[in-house]
Amino acid sequence: MDERRSKARHRVLKAGTIEFGGGAIDCTVRNLSDHGAALDVTSPIGIPEHFTLFVPADGTHLSCNVVWRKEKRIGVRFG
């Protein structure tokens, strides 16, 4: 499989919350770079294309755009 990212991602295991339109879905941040992340979710159904990722351990809120979706994981780009 060819790596298409311009920046390497670092493996992490942090709790996160996908926030959108008054709703929230728990997730796990599996890898992270300055430009994006992979998030484990129970189901990608119902997660919008654009949302805010809150990572309590870091106290960060990141604006996200979904780049890809798999059965229980989504890839996002920040910005």
Side-chain angles (χ1 to χ4, degrees):
M1 185 168 155
D2 294 332
E3 180 60 52
R4 294 180 292 188
R5 296 182 195 106
S6 60
K7 301 285 182 183
R9 289 190 178 174
H10 303 283
R11 289 183 182 175
V12 296
L13 186 60
K14 296 182 179 183
T17 304
I18 295 169
E19 300 175 340
F20 56 93
I25 297 173
D26 291 333
C27 68
T28 302
V29 182
R30 296 302 305 219
N31 63 50
L32 186 66
S33 77
D34 292 339
H35 301 284
L39 310 175
D40 280 354
V41 294
T42 303
S43 170
I45 296 171
I47 297 174
E49 293 298 311
H50 310 286
F51 59 83
T52 299
L53 173 64
F54 175 52
V55 183
D58 301 337
T60 57
H61 286 85
L62 302 161
S63 176
C64 296
N65 297 305
V66 176
V67 178
W68 53 263
R69 295 173 189 258
K70 292 186 179 177
E71 185 177 340
K72 294 192 176 197
R73 186 170 286 186
I74 60 173
V76 299
R77 179 180 301 126
F78 302 140

